[in-house]
Amino acid sequence: MTHEQRIREQVIATSTTISKMLQDFRAKIGEATEAPDTLAATLRTTNVPP
């Protein structure tokens, strides 16, 4: 394997890792954004006076 091929493989592996990290980060942001809405909905349904 040539030096260029090794570098190319390393670049691909690194970019794949970064892409996966960004996907995970976006998913966590989505969960954090939805959490207050879920909490508010839960409080509205559980704190309704009789």
Side-chain angles (χ1 to χ4, degrees), residues 17-46:
T17 300
I18 291 170
S19 177
K20 175 69 173 131
M21 289 170 62
L22 286 172
Q23 289 174 354
D24 292 345
F25 183 68
R26 287 185 190 117
K28 287 180 182 178
I29 289 173
E31 291 169 8
T33 303
E34 293 171 4
D37 294 337
T38 303
L39 177 60
T42 302
L43 291 174
R44 279 194 299 271
T45 59
T46 56

Side-chain angles (χ1 to χ4, degrees), residues 4-23:
E4 286 183 12
Q5 288 172 323
R6 283 194 296 269
I7 291 174
R8 186 175 294 121
E9 286 187 1
Q10 289 174 347
V11 168
I12 291 169
T14 301
S15 63
T16 301
T17 300
I18 291 170
S19 177
K20 175 69 173 131
M21 289 170 62
L22 286 172
Q23 289 174 354

